[in-house]
Amino acid sequence: IAHHKVKTAILVIAISLILYLPLALRVLVDGTERELMARAEATPLVIGSKGSSLDLVIDTLYFETKPLVSMTMSEAERVDQGGLALAIPVFTRFRAGGCAIVGTTLDYFGFRGLSVGRGRQIARLGDCVLGAELADELALGPGDHLLSSPENLFDLAGNYPLKMKVAGVLRRTHTPDDRAVLVDIRTAWIIAGLGHGHQDLSKVEDPDVLLKREGNTYTANAKLLQYTEITDQNIDSFHFHGDTSRFPVTAVIAVPPDRKAADLLRGRYQSAGEPCQILRPIDVIRDLTATIFRVEGLLNGVFGLLALATMLLILLVVMLSLRLRRQEVQTMFKLGCSRSMIA
């Protein structure tokens, strides 16, 4: 064994891999299941547009899927007015620094148990707080700025990125919130172009900018300067056009006080004409983990075949070694060694 270092190393590595891969897969699956289940169990109900239930839950809980079909803010108001649950709207259409911008309300922080470790909480439009892991990765802290990413770099008519001020950094929670950019939902609507700030039209005299003035009504063209950063000087100019109850949200997290309220709320979404669906994330994640277990079973079957092939190869190596060392075995036998000792 000491003399044939290379051959011994190859055998040790081959046997180790065959033993390690199934164990590593088991550890990986167990860890994934624990993380998925913990987040799902902490989220009672999720409401979203009808479609893929898995996409809705994964996007709402982990901010990882492609943008979902939006519903309106009126859905959150409907839940609140029903009195059966606390409604927490979530809007995850945009990204910054490679991670999701999560537009929501302050209720989300209390629901997830999030607290600010450095800096302060969101206080106004344009503020954001970063998850601890994302802040470390981007080397950003309170007082710095972060640009939202445009949805389409080639859309010349699209919205300008919003320069957000980092108000604070959250304490590490070892959850997907550690890699999120959390903003007030109205800030997310501004990124979507549903709200904006611009020059005070009553003070604009350039005829190329101001097309028409009728009393207190002003009409401007595209040359009007629109702000892409919310500051103390221009924050009063930011406003929204239209009814905010019709503005988009990707999901609503519903937090009922007890099981009875949860069941009553779920019953309200069972009619055939209902455009939205209500889900228990724990049920969706259980189906997902069941699929993962089936895949694990297939992989373990593959590992079993690899183990058999490896053992046959090792047996071949041993037989060839014995064949090459036949004279040594005969010499040991002639010296008086028993078969067991030779073995």
Side-chain angles (χ1 to χ4, degrees):
I1 290 175
H3 181 73
H4 299 282
K5 293 183 175 63
V6 175
K7 183 173 72 174
T8 302
I10 292 173
L11 289 173
V12 169
I13 291 172
I15 295 172
S16 298
L17 285 175
I18 289 302
L19 295 174
Y20 170 77
L21 286 175
L23 295 175
L25 180 62
R26 179 73 264 168
V27 171
L28 181 63
V29 169
D30 285 346
T32 302
E33 183 186 13
R34 280 196 305 272
E35 291 184 10
L36 290 173
M37 286 296 187
R39 187 83 163 175
E41 287 174 351
T43 309
L45 297 169
V46 170
I47 302 168
S49 296
K50 284 188 174 178
S52 169
S53 58
L54 181 60
D55 283 350
L56 175 60
V57 170
I58 294 296
D59 182 80
T60 306
L61 272 62
Y62 311 102
F63 322 127
E64 289 294 341
T65 63
K66 61 185 179 182
L68 301 173
V69 176
S70 298
M71 54 185 183
T72 62
M73 186 64 178
S74 60
E75 201 62 42
E77 296 173 355
R78 172 186 171 187
V79 174
D80 271 334
Q81 291 168 3
L84 293 175
L86 170 67
I88 305 174
V90 177
F91 189 37
T92 57
R93 175 178 158 189
F94 301 98
R95 304 185 75 82
C99 295
I101 297 175
V102 182
T104 186
T105 62
L106 291 178
D107 289 329
Y108 182 86
F109 293 86
F111 170 65
R112 292 292 187 204
L114 304 177
S115 59
V116 176
R118 289 183 289 147
R120 58 172 175 80
Q121 181 57 275
I122 296 170
R124 66 176 192 178
L125 290 176
D127 281 352
C128 69
V129 292
L130 306 181
E133 185 177 338
L134 180 61
D136 292 343
E137 182 180 310
L138 300 179
L140 295 176
D144 294 329
H145 291 83
L146 178 65
L147 275 175
S148 63
S149 302
E151 287 187 289
N152 187 346
L153 294 174
F154 303 100
D155 183 7
L156 300 180
N159 302 313
Y160 292 108
L162 180 66
K163 186 177 181 181
M164 299 174 289
K165 182 178 180 180
V166 179
V169 176
L170 297 173
R171 298 184 191 277
R172 194 176 297 272
T173 58
H174 304 286
T175 66
D177 297 310
D178 287 342
R179 291 190 55 79
V181 182
L182 289 116
V183 301
D184 182 78
I185 195 165
R186 294 175 301 165
T187 300
W189 288 337
I190 288 174
I191 298 173
L194 299 171
H196 59 258
H198 51 67
Q199 293 171 279
D200 186 352
L201 288 174
S202 64
K203 300 178 181 178
V204 173
E205 300 296 337
D206 187 349
D208 292 333
V209 175
L210 192 62
L211 298 180
K212 185 170 61 175
R213 188 197 307 256
E214 294 181 355
N216 293 326
T217 303
Y218 302 88
T219 304
N221 66 10
K223 289 183 66 177
L224 179 69
L225 177 61
Q226 293 194 14
Y227 301 120
T228 57
E229 179 183 1
I230 302 175
T231 64
D232 293 335
Q233 290 72 35
N234 64 29
I235 190 170
D236 291 336
S237 73
F238 278 82
H239 56 280
F240 297 95
H241 293 282
D243 182 4
T244 56
S245 67
R246 308 304 302 170
F247 284 5
V249 296
T250 50
V252 174
I253 298 174
V255 188
D258 51 42
R259 179 68 179 271
K260 179 180 178 181
D263 291 340
L264 289 172
L265 181 60
R266 292 176 66 191
R268 295 183 178 182
Y269 287 85
Q270 302 308 311
S271 63
E274 176 61 50
C276 297
Q277 61 179 330
I278 187 167
L279 303 169
R280 292 180 69 234
I282 189 65
D283 294 337
V284 177
I285 297 301
R286 281 202 186 104
D287 291 341
L288 175 61
T289 54
T291 303
I292 293 175
F293 288 142
R294 286 196 292 269
V295 173
E296 182 192 11
L298 292 174
L299 289 176
N300 283 332
V302 173
F303 293 150
L305 292 175
L306 288 175
L308 177 60
T310 303
M311 291 301 125
L312 291 174
L313 287 173
I314 291 173
L315 180 61
L316 178 62
V317 170
V318 171
M319 292 175 64
L320 290 175
S321 297
L322 289 174
R323 187 179 183 87
L324 291 172
R325 301 177 67 183
R326 179 178 296 176
Q327 289 184 345
E328 295 178 39
V329 173
Q330 291 176 351
T331 301
M332 294 170 69
F333 183 73
K334 290 176 180 178
L335 287 171
C337 295
S338 66
R339 292 184 181 276
S340 61
M341 184 172 182
I342 292 172

